[in-house]
Amino acid sequence: MKGIIIDGRAIANKIKDELSQTIHGLIKNNVTPKMAVLHIGEDPASISYTKSINRVASKLNIDVDIKKIEDTTCDEKVIEEIKRLNEDRTIHGILIQEPIPPQFNRDNIILSISPLKDIDCMNPVNLGGVMRGKFNFAPSTPLGVLKILAHEKINVEGKHVVIVGRSTIVGKPLANLLLIKGRGGNATVTVCHSKSSDLIHFVKMADIVIAAVGRAKLIKGDMVKQGAVVIDVGINSIIDNEGKHKLVGDVDFDTVAEVASYITPVPGGVGPVTTLMLLSNLIKATKENLI
Ligand code: NAD
């Protein structure tokens, strides 16, 4: 059996069409949605993510203000800049690109983002809302995963979802969203991580596997139950047999596609949908800031 390959780009295009109508309405009322993206340091992966956000945003007539902050700057200056953005009424959303270099106090920086402009749900106030199941903003990657499942009409209620990865930005909030009592939730969730003693045992039990690890091709076909849904969040750069750089996921696509009922590819799966969920959060913030 060959699984259905989920087309993340097609889903992203649908969301784009829906968003562009709302944005058109806002612009007609003289409001141009605008986000600030703060880069602290020069991480190449986050620079490339910002470029891709900017590319999609500009097609939607969303303004993106990219602020580069030297990694020699002190915490106070970064927080001052964030506070200035919090006060700026033309900025509707703030994204701080990760990783924040280790010499900075990440907790203090994140806490200074206004929860009302925190479009990637970094501030613990918003993350707490996700845990309670009552929130303004959830992180864009977990929202992207849920969007993909909903788009493919894959009902998670009563299903055993195994998430591999317990990060604060993907694994943990995704687990909380899947546990919500209500539509789109009600799943039974297991979260595995680097210290889980028998990863294969847990993955093999899953009706839905979500890999968010950052280890190329960790999940192999013989670890997955026949007919399971497999969502690959991972993005890993590897050198292929011809010596070229190639992006692959945490899932060994070729072997897993043989047993899965649905599978997302990398690239072209979760990534494009994530970007659109971030922009959806920005539009939500723009509308709410008008009130
Ligand atoms: P992270 O490094 O913060 O967390 C990785 C998690 O994987 C940790 O919880 C760790 O315990 C777990 N882990 C590590 N090795 C393991 C192993 N051998 N077995 C089981 N668990 C293991 O990473 P993150 O920020 O959550 O990102 C995960 C991956 O998703 C990365 O490849 C990242 O690039 C990608 N990502 C993609 C998107 C997207 O939009 N597609 C967004 C965010 C992150």
Side-chain angles (χ1 to χ4, degrees), residues 84-252:
R84 202 188 57 69
L85 294 168
N86 287 342
E87 301 286 311
D88 184 341
R89 288 185 64 84
T90 68
I91 300 280
H92 306 100
I94 301 169
L95 174 70
I96 304 185
Q97 283 289 25
E98 299 265 29
I100 297 173
Q103 64 271 31
F104 290 88
N105 184 327
R106 184 182 180 278
D107 287 351
N108 286 348
I109 290 175
I110 299 304
L111 271 171
S112 67
I113 311 172
S114 160
L116 300 172
K117 296 192 179 185
D118 178 28
I119 53 172
D120 210 17
C121 189
M122 298 175 94
N123 190 311
V125 170
N126 285 326
L127 270 177
V130 170
M131 195 178 168
R132 291 172 63 230
K134 291 179 185 164
F135 54 88
N136 263 344
F137 301 116
S140 49
T141 307
L143 282 180
V145 172
L146 295 189
K147 189 77 181 180
I148 287 172
L149 293 171
H151 183 271
E152 301 302 318
K153 301 193 168 46
I154 297 164
N155 189 3
V156 302
E157 180 165 315
K159 301 277 171 56
H160 184 194
V161 182
V162 174
I163 301 171
V164 190
R166 58 173 163 189
S167 72
T168 311
I169 198 71
V170 188
K172 280 188 205 152
L174 183 54
N176 280 290
L177 292 169
L178 288 163
L179 286 170
I180 286 175
K181 191 172 178 183
R183 225 169 136 236
N186 288 336
T188 302
V189 183
T190 299
V191 182
C192 295
H193 48 80
S194 53
K195 303 288 184 224
S196 295
S197 60
D198 190 353
L199 182 67
I200 299 176
H201 166 78
F202 292 106
V203 173
K204 196 96 196 172
M205 285 197 299
D207 302 310
I208 300 172
V209 181
I210 303 171
V213 188
R215 300 271 181 280
K217 303 187 183 190
L218 176 77
I219 309 295
K220 312 271 188 226
D222 59 6
M223 295 167 68
V224 174
K225 184 167 81 178
Q226 187 79 38
V229 172
V230 180
I231 307 290
D232 191 354
V233 177
I235 304 172
N236 310 286
S237 177
I238 60 159
I239 310 278
D240 69 9
N241 294 340
E242 289 153 24
K244 291 185 187 145
H245 281 277
K246 190 182 170 196
L247 286 186
V248 297
D250 293 340
V251 171
D252 182 28

